[in-house]
Amino acid sequence: MSVSATPRDWLQGARPHTWANAVAPVLAGTAAAVADEGASFPRAVLAVLVSMSLIIGVNFANDYSDGVRGTDDDRTGPQRLTGSGLVPPARVKATAFACFGVAAVVGLVLSLMSAWWLIIIGALCILGAWFYTGGRHPYGYHGLGEAAVFVFFGLVAVLGTEFTQAGRISWAGFALAVGVGVMSASVNLANNLRDIPGDSAAGKTTLAVLLGDRRTRILWVVLQVIAVVATLSLATVTVAALIALVALPLVFVAALPVVRGTQGPGLIPVLGLTGRAMLVWSVAMLVAMLIA
């Protein structure tokens, strides 16, 4: 560790406000497995380890890639390890790959316990994590960040968790995956909404840059509406799923800065509130399925 970086700096570099994006899919996938009567606590723990390692790894990878490209030279959010010069870029990159290594090892164990072809899915997840902002043509710089989050931390994470526990995927699992996916993508979208001025200047073409401020805000609201629709659809599986509407107050508070046109640092709370809403929603869905 660099002598100028404290443990708090490293923790901030791991971006704790995004960790709900890793835990919520596993909770939702386990909820689906409960509905399938095939839930497994040990496999859920392994899935959490994989998901957490991936998200921390991708956060450090983004820190490294954005830092060396100069994208983080003019930030409105918290400082980054690479961009601020606190830690040598090579060390941040090595930390990212160490996290990917942990995800690969634990994922291999989980795959061998479930289905060997999940190893291929896991490898694609790691590649997706790195090439989000890494490599010569990062897809996160071409407006595909939110789509990738929806796929990897929504569809793949939720349905993968369900499959590793229950041995199959279900309609309820798909609805849960969509709910988590759109909320997870909206966390990323809020982050990119905040960073539109800096990303535009740095040549980072996120979806928010492509859509512009007004349409990005509209899309953020639409994603929340989709999550509510997913909740209502799951009530056809069990009416107890309506318990998940307890997350709506958090969504409402998160939406206020978005719909009021708040700019820059004023949008930072949206990330944490949306993440907490997603976590509450997933916990509520797990409780609902256990009740059912």
Side-chain angles (χ1 to χ4, degrees), residues 187-267:
V187 174
N188 200 64
L189 187 66
N191 182 76
N192 289 333
L193 171 63
R194 179 199 67 196
D195 292 341
I196 285 177
D199 287 344
S200 298
K204 183 178 181 180
T205 310
T206 63
L207 180 61
V209 170
L210 288 172
L211 292 177
D213 186 275
R214 180 175 176 275
R215 285 185 292 181
T216 298
R217 294 174 190 272
I218 293 173
L219 176 58
W220 190 92
V221 173
V222 168
L223 292 177
Q224 312 316 308
V225 172
I226 293 173
V228 173
V229 172
T231 305
L232 297 177
S233 69
L234 284 160
T236 63
V237 177
T238 170
V239 70
L242 295 177
I243 295 172
L245 294 176
V246 71
L248 275 179
L250 284 170
V251 174
F252 178 78
V253 176
L256 291 178
V258 176
V259 300
R260 289 174 175 173
T262 303
Q263 302 286 335
L267 289 167

Side-chain angles (χ1 to χ4, degrees), residues 97-282:
F97 275 88
C99 293
F100 293 152
V102 172
V105 172
V106 180
L108 177 62
V109 173
L110 187 57
S111 297
L112 293 177
M113 292 171 65
S114 309
W116 69 266
W117 51 265
L118 288 174
I119 297 172
I120 300 173
I121 303 297
L124 291 174
C125 289
I126 292 174
L127 289 174
W130 171 250
F131 287 107
Y132 174 56
T133 56
R136 300 180 66 178
H137 302 288
Y139 63 84
Y141 279 49
H142 295 85
L144 297 175
E146 284 72 20
V149 169
F150 176 80
V151 170
F152 289 117
F153 286 99
L155 300 182
V156 173
V158 175
L159 296 177
T161 298
E162 179 185 17
F163 185 85
T164 57
Q165 295 183 44
R168 70 186 187 94
I169 58 176
S170 63
W171 179 88
F174 179 76
L176 285 159
V178 170
V180 169
V182 293
M183 286 189 281
S184 189
S186 68
V187 174
N188 200 64
L189 187 66
N191 182 76
N192 289 333
L193 171 63
R194 179 199 67 196
D195 292 341
I196 285 177
D199 287 344
S200 298
K204 183 178 181 180
T205 310
T206 63
L207 180 61
V209 170
L210 288 172
L211 292 177
D213 186 275
R214 180 175 176 275
R215 285 185 292 181
T216 298
R217 294 174 190 272
I218 293 173
L219 176 58
W220 190 92
V221 173
V222 168
L223 292 177
Q224 312 316 308
V225 172
I226 293 173
V228 173
V229 172
T231 305
L232 297 177
S233 69
L234 284 160
T236 63
V237 177
T238 170
V239 70
L242 295 177
I243 295 172
L245 294 176
V246 71
L248 275 179
L250 284 170
V251 174
F252 178 78
V253 176
L256 291 178
V258 176
V259 300
R260 289 174 175 173
T262 303
Q263 302 286 335
L267 289 167
I268 294 176
V270 177
L271 281 67
L273 286 166
T274 308
R276 284 194 287 276
M278 175 174 55
L279 193 59
V280 168
W281 187 86
S282 300

